[in-house]
Amino acid sequence: MESVQAVLIDIDGVLTVSWRPLPGAVEALREVREAGFGVLLVTNTTSRTRASIAGTLAEAGFPVSAGDILTAPAATAAYLAEHCPGARCALLNSGDIAEDLDGVTLVEAGDTGAAPDVVLVGGAGPEFGYAELDRAFGHLQRGARLVAMHRNLYWRTAEGLRLDSGAFLAGLERAARVEAEITGKPSRAFFASALARLGVGAEEAVMVGDDVESDVLAAQRAGVTGVLVRTGKFQPETLRAADGTPDHVIDSFADLPALLRGSAQQ
């Protein structure tokens, strides 16, 4: 931690729940920025664009702009441009994220043209009904690639945990006998992209998240120091069953400045 120059921060469950700031989060982020650390918010949120997220956070008092945010959809657009240039993509997602899918050709459900080259899975919601999932299954049977923005099984809202697309993704993979290409967390490419934006090496960054697998352990496998918070989707039993041990566990993001100060003093 002594060499840390930048902080990667998940949003949902770390800074906010249902877009409402968690206690002490606004003040802690201001303190981290004032201490001179680079900051990038890295999120698998697929219901909003970076501009929308930044606007909501700024209204709540967080010192952030759209340029401080890396979303799974934005990372997905870059991935498709590199690995599937010109592909026709059938998007299964809850929310309008077209702005962050710059350069991606999206195919409407009733499109009678050529079959989609890619089934693109975002975040779950009412759009994940039988007809939509069966249509995606049909595309996969006909040879489409399966690209998913994340594998999250659930997320935390003000009303409790809600099922996410990872649960549906597992079914599509098994039924179609394919393996999804993951573009958001926990993919190593996502963390590499975040570090490149900040201009730091893995050993110079920490990742703060509420998902022990996708946020923390995935970051640690990429060489980034992992910090797990006991807010959001955190559950003690999930931590006990995890494939590894976080470098640090703190009660909330409000405790991060003290952790960083302590490391600096050491």
Side-chain angles (χ1 to χ4, degrees), residues 110-193:
D111 192 307
T112 58
D117 304 298
V118 173
V119 169
L120 185 56
V121 180
E127 295 83 356
F128 279 61
Y130 176 80
E132 291 77 14
L133 289 166
D134 189 54
R135 185 180 301 115
F137 175 53
H139 295 324
L140 295 174
Q141 286 184 298
R142 289 186 287 273
R145 295 169 68 165
L146 180 58
V147 176
M149 298 182 195
H150 59 74
R151 287 191 179 277
N152 294 2
L153 295 172
Y154 51 82
W155 80 96
R156 171 76 65 180
T157 70
E159 290 74 40
L161 296 179
R162 290 291 182 267
L163 196 64
D164 209 343
S165 54
F168 302 100
L169 183 64
L172 285 173
E173 287 180 309
R174 185 168 180 181
R177 298 181 181 178
V178 298
E179 184 174 350
E181 303 163 48
I182 308 299
T183 56
K185 295 177 292 181
S187 74
R188 188 178 291 266
F190 185 88
F191 288 104
S193 178

Side-chain angles (χ1 to χ4, degrees), residues 9-49:
I9 310 164
D10 185 30
I11 299 174
D12 193 22
V14 177
L15 298 180
T16 67
V17 168
S18 293
W19 301 106
R20 298 189 201 113
L22 285 167
V26 171
E27 294 79 8
L29 185 56
R30 289 189 180 279
E31 188 171 345
V32 169
R33 277 203 179 281
E34 289 168 1
F37 292 97
V39 170
L40 187 67
L41 309 189
V42 291
T43 176
N44 277 347
T45 297
T46 55
S47 60
R48 296 190 180 201
T49 64

